[in-house]
DNA sequence: AGCACGCCGACT
DNA sequence: GTCGGCGTGCTC
């Protein structure tokens, strides 16, 4: 056969048994258009349907015994799947017993023909090479730069202050530091990937980058762009120019010329958790990519995640000491009645200082998330409405319709207020807006600004204002807040989750980092080790303690976990296949919470060293179940037996 | 998933 | 002797 006559193709399919390369003959008519990395269409199952796929490589001969089918078509001649990303997708999928094509769906945006055509005519210009940037802020001089040059794995606790950019904009100092690290890589003609949890972080980072490098060198990949813009940025990223690519969790898979740095801001933020199969966290993908590429890796945050602490503990990641011991002035206060009306949640000392501070500039009040369902109150007296049958909270179902009880489901039609005898209900969002109302009454002359998940405010000015925000939605204030009140700590800690403490410390720390230097930060009603960790600004030590506790319980991230869900027989067989491996233990199987016809779930816990084998064995079981499944009855309803579902490193387990 | 192949019962 | 049922297995 002539050279390059065989195309090795990854078919786009969620089926585990198709997650391998298939060989196709390249017909003469396509010989000029095939290149590794292009999107192709291939026949699957002789004369059957046509499937999409990625041409991974060209070869001269095939190992396959049978006769090869011919490649059907080349969809686009742009090689979108670069070899480095293919190797990454394969490794990351194998590690999580998932399909490489699922990873590629995250990694590669969908195609826009018009955009592609205009891009082929005039691709994005990278602009002039950048000058040397100033030293990375918050680290010992030259330390991060040396790490970037040497391909090191690093973590750095960020300077917890807002900084003013030359453009006049205020951003967190972390954004300046990350931008400088990326600019340094660019200065060395290396690309940098900057991964952030949400667009608010992204805005700050982009602002910081604008002050340092030519904007043509910066590409964005995030969900707020139009599909066409995202595709164009992606196409530019496949070019041979060093760039800085900044965006959400899928940015970790972006193509990048001569990758020099992968950086993740606030890796503990749950927004970075990947909901799409196989659910690989960008932190793990970054670790794999770092090893494959030799690029540097930088985890930066105000709060060290327990996962990064583990990596520091085993010496895989170097903890860089911050250049200066800067920390917010955190004051721990007990909850106590305040003499002021409508301010029962605020202790009097904090109250007085907040009142003084709000004359000077913005004051931040952080409250717990209200939850998506609006709470109901009596329309007449504003008393919170409760279920007449069981006393549970009443909510409007998300799908709409009559209000009902969250606990017993009783409809609240015919509700009557026990206080004032009113009969009408009114929606009120609990938390932010209620607090805003109360504070508005208590600070009658102040401007009250509300920022929550639904109506987030990105930034506020330096003028006096009371800014009430749910955790995670705090605006950045020009010059920093004159005081910060962390009001709902106790309530935030009530959430049922293995990670509440970690999450709370992160929310409090991130809000504290918005305070002006020297401004007081009041943590209300919380004591103990967690409060001490915040007030002493020693989050890494707290993470170490937490990791030790999880190690004692054999909880992640001290070990890895995989959940295995299917019918009893299939689960039992699957876990039996891994039970004997060294460093593996199995919890369950037990019925899943819902009464899904006999679904069972088992949790496999395993040491990191056993991960590859566990994934391989469970993957083999998935393929076995998928290929041997039969239609149960010759009846019309073609009901397939429950598939074997395997999920690695699920953040909700245990 | 889909679809072809193949090994047994009722048919021309 | 052959048509077609659906159980079985594979996809280059």
């Amino acid at each position: 056969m002539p050279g390059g006559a065989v195309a090795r193709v990854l078919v786009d399919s969620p089926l585990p048994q198709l997650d391998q390369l298939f060989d196709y003959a390249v017909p003469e008519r396509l010989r000029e258009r095939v290149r590794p990395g292009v999107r192709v269409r291939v026949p699957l199952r002789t004369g059957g349907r046509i499937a999409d796929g990625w041409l991974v490589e060209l070869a001269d001969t095939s190992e396959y015994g049978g006769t090869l089918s011919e490649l059907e078509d080349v969809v686009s001649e742009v090689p979108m799947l670069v070899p480095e990303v293919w190797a990454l997708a394969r490794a990351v999928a194998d590690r999580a017993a998932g399909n490489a094509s699922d990873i590629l769906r995250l990694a590669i945006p969908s195609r826009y023909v018009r955009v592609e055509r205009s891009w082929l005519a005039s691709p994005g210009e990278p602009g002039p090479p950048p000058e040397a940037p100033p030293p990375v802020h918050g680290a010992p001089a030259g330390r991060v730069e040396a790490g970037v040059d040497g391909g090191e794995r690093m973590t750095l606790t960020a300077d917890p202050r807002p900084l003013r950019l030359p453009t006049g904009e205020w951003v967190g100092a972390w954004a300046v530091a990350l931008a400088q690290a990326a600019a340094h890589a660019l200065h060395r003609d290396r690309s940098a990937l900057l991964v952030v949890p949400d667009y608010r972080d992204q805005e700050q980072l982009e602002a910081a980058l604008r002050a340092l490098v030519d904007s043509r060198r910066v590409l964005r990949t995030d969900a707020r762009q139009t599909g066409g813009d995202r595709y164009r940025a992606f196409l530019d990223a496949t070019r041979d120019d060093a760039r800085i690519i900044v965006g959400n969790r899928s940015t970790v898979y972006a193509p990048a010329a001569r990758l020099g740095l992968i950086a993740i801001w606030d890796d503990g933020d749950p927004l970075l958790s990947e909901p799409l199969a196989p659910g690989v966290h960008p932190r793990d993908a970054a670790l794999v990519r770092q090893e494959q590429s030799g690029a540097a890796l930088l985890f930066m945050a105000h709060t060290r995640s327990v996962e990064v602490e583990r990596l520091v503990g085993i010496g895989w990641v170097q903890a860089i000491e911050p250049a200066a011991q800067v920390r917010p002035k955190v004051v721990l206060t007990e909850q106590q009645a305040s003499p002021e009306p409508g301010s029962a949640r605020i202790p009097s000392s904090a109250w007085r200082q907040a009142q003084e501070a709000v004359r000077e500039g913005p004051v931040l009040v952080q409250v717990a998330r209200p939850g998506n369902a609006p709470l109901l109150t009596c329309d007449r007296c504003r008393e919170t409405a409760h279920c007449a049958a069981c006393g549970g909270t009443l909510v409007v179902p998300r799908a709409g319709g009559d209000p009902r009880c969250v606990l017993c489901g009783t409809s609240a039609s015919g509700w009557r207020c026990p206080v004032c005898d009113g009969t009408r209900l009114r929606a009120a969002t609990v938390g932010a807006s209620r607090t805003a109302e109360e504070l508005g009454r208590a600070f009658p002359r102040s401007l009250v600004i509300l920022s929550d998940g639904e109506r987030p405010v990105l930034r506020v000015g330096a003028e006096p204002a009371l800014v009430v925000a749910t955790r995670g939605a705090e605006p950045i204030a020009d010059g920093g807040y004159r005081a910060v009140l962390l009001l709902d700590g106790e309530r935030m800690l009530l959430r049922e989750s293995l990670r509440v403490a970690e999450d709370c410390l992160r929310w409090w720390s991130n809000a504290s980092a918005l305070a002006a230097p020297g401004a007081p930060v009041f943590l209300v009603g919380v004591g103990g080790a967690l409060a001490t960790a915040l007030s002493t600004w020693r989050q890494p030590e707290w993470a170490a303690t937490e990791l030790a506790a999880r190690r004692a319980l054999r909880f992640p991230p001290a070990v890895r976990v995989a959940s295995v869900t299917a019918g009893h027989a299939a689960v039992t067989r699957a876990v039996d296949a891994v039970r004997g491996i060294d460093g593996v233990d199995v919890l369950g199987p037990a019925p899943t919470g819902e009464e899904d016809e006999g679904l069972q779930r088992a949790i496999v816990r395993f040491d990191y060293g056993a991960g590859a084998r566990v994934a391989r064995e469970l993957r083999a079981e998935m393929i076995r179940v998928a290929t041997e499944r039969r239609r149960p009855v010759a009846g019309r309803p073609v009901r397939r037996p429950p598939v074997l579902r395997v999920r690695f490193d699920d953040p909700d387990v245990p």
Side-chain angles (χ1 to χ4, degrees), chain A residues 410-433:
Chain A
T410 304
S411 164
S413 61
W415 175 86
R416 185 170 288 273
C417 177
V419 176
C420 73
D421 232 28
T423 56
R424 285 168 55 105
L425 289 166
R426 148 180 205 285
T429 321
V430 83
S433 68

Side-chain angles (χ1 to χ4, degrees), chain A residues 34-59:
Chain A
V34 290
R35 300 162 67 181
V38 297
R39 194 101 173 112
V40 291
R41 294 175 58 73
V42 293
L44 203 53
R45 189 73 200 173
T46 43
R49 62 201 193 286
I50 305 288
D52 283 332
W54 294 105
L55 198 165
V56 169
E57 56 193 30
L58 287 168

Side-chain angles (χ1 to χ4, degrees), chain A residues 196-200 202-203 206 219-227 229-231 233 245-251:
Chain A
V196 292
D198 72 1
Y199 79 96
R200 300 164 60 251
Q202 177 156 347
E203 294 259 324
E206 284 182 22
L219 302 174
R220 306 167 47 201
T221 60
D222 67 280
R224 290 172 78 84
Q225 291 171 288
T226 65
D229 287 348
R230 184 161 183 238
Y231 187 56
I245 306 168
V246 42
N248 60 18
R249 54 187 181 265
S250 61
T251 303

Side-chain angles (χ1 to χ4, degrees), chain A residues 165-484:
Chain A
L165 296 171
T167 53
E169 283 171 286
W170 286 83
V171 297
W174 65 268
V176 173
L178 271 191
Q180 287 163 337
H184 175 78
L186 200 58
H187 177 62
R188 293 271 196 260
D189 195 35
R190 312 284 299 272
S191 289
L193 302 176
L194 305 179
V195 180
V196 292
D198 72 1
Y199 79 96
R200 300 164 60 251
D201 301 318
Q202 177 156 347
E203 294 259 324
Q204 294 186 54
L205 197 44
E206 284 182 22
L209 285 165
R210 271 194 298 275
L212 284 175
V213 298
D214 189 300
S215 66
R216 288 170 291 185
R217 286 279 177 174
V218 180
L219 302 174
R220 306 167 47 201
T221 60
D222 67 280
R224 290 172 78 84
Q225 291 171 288
T226 65
D229 287 348
R230 184 161 183 238
Y231 187 56
R232 179 167 252 279
F234 182 89
L235 291 173
D236 279 335
T238 64
R239 304 266 302 193
D240 195 38
D241 311 301
R243 309 264 194 171
I244 296 171
I245 306 168
V246 42
N248 60 18
R249 54 187 181 265
S250 61
T251 303
V252 75
Y253 300 110
R258 299 177 298 286
L259 185 60
L261 171 67
I262 309 167
I264 302 186
W265 164 244
D266 207 15
D267 69 287
D269 190 319
L271 285 173
L272 285 176
S273 293
E274 180 55 66
L276 298 173
V280 175
H281 197 285
R283 182 200 302 116
D284 294 326
L287 285 159
V288 173
R289 189 162 191 179
Q290 189 280 324
E291 278 202 271
Q292 291 183 337
S293 66
L297 179 58
L298 174 59
F299 296 109
M300 196 186 289
H302 295 304
T303 311
R304 182 174 300 171
S305 68
V306 184
E307 285 81 1
V308 167
E309 173 57 26
R310 177 189 152 265
L311 294 165
V312 171
I314 61 172
W316 190 251
V317 166
Q318 302 304 314
I320 296 175
E321 281 307 311
Q325 197 45 262
V326 185
R327 60 179 205 224
K329 194 175 117 193
V330 177
V331 183
L332 306 180
T333 66
E334 286 308 308
Q335 189 131 25
Q336 63 190 77
S338 156
E340 316 295 331
S343 60
R345 295 155 82 195
I346 306 176
S348 51
S349 58
W351 179 253
R352 272 195 311 277
Q353 291 193 56
Q355 278 189 317
E356 276 171 36
V358 82
R359 280 185 219 122
E360 308 286 319
V363 169
L364 175 66
V365 181
Q366 182 201 58
V367 296
R369 186 174 292 272
N372 282 332
L375 192 84
L376 294 170
T377 63
C378 173
D379 190 43
R380 197 192 297 177
C381 72
R382 302 287 157 90
E383 189 68 21
T384 308
H386 292 283
C387 172
C390 75
T393 310
L394 297 175
V395 294
V396 179
R398 200 177 294 196
D402 277 347
R404 52 183 59 250
C405 171
V406 284
L407 295 180
C408 68
T410 304
S411 164
S413 61
W415 175 86
R416 185 170 288 273
C417 177
V419 176
C420 73
D421 232 28
T423 56
R424 285 168 55 105
L425 289 166
R426 148 180 205 285
T429 321
V430 83
S433 68
R434 166 103 69 74
T435 305
E437 268 178 43
E438 286 175 10
L439 291 169
R441 281 200 295 272
F443 292 76
R445 296 218 197 97
S446 301
L447 170 67
V448 178
I449 297 169
L450 180 61
S451 176
D452 60 17
E454 284 179 8
R455 296 165 143 260
V457 177
L458 279 174
R459 50 180 67 247
V460 297
E463 312 78 46
L466 207 58
V467 181
V468 181
T470 55
R471 88 281 185 294
E474 300 89 354
I476 183 161
D478 289 356
Y481 289 100
R482 299 310 176 98
V484 174

Side-chain angles (χ1 to χ4, degrees), chain A residues 38-125:
Chain A
V38 297
R39 194 101 173 112
V40 291
R41 294 175 58 73
V42 293
L44 203 53
R45 189 73 200 173
T46 43
R49 62 201 193 286
I50 305 288
D52 283 332
W54 294 105
L55 198 165
V56 169
E57 56 193 30
L58 287 168
D60 298 339
T61 58
S62 170
E63 305 272 284
Y64 182 62
T67 46
L68 302 185
S69 294
E70 285 193 346
L71 217 57
E72 174 77 19
D73 203 3
V74 173
V75 176
S76 158
E77 287 170 47
V78 181
M80 284 185 272
L81 177 57
V82 304
E84 189 182 335
V85 173
W86 163 247
L88 176 65
R90 185 68 273 165
V92 157
D94 288 345
R95 192 176 180 280
N99 272 12
S101 67
D102 284 339
I103 299 289
L104 293 180
R105 203 163 308 138
L106 297 175
I108 303 175
S110 47
R111 178 168 179 252
Y112 287 75
V113 183
R114 297 179 60 130
V115 171
E116 186 175 296
R117 219 170 274 147
S118 84
W119 178 82
L120 284 167
S122 67
E125 281 297 317

Side-chain angles (χ1 to χ4, degrees), chain A residues 473-529:
Chain A
E474 300 89 354
I476 183 161
D478 289 356
Y481 289 100
R482 299 310 176 98
V484 174
L485 280 82
L486 308 171
L487 215 52
D488 280 342
E490 220 174 358
R491 207 160 97 189
M492 282 155 69
L493 280 166
L494 286 177
R495 225 167 39 105
E496 279 295 325
S497 153
L498 177 69
R499 282 163 237 276
V500 249
E502 193 183 341
D503 287 343
C504 286
L505 184 57
R506 190 178 50 255
W507 291 324
W508 300 336
S509 300
N510 289 353
S512 303
L514 299 173
V521 175
F522 298 98
L523 176 62
V524 179
V526 178

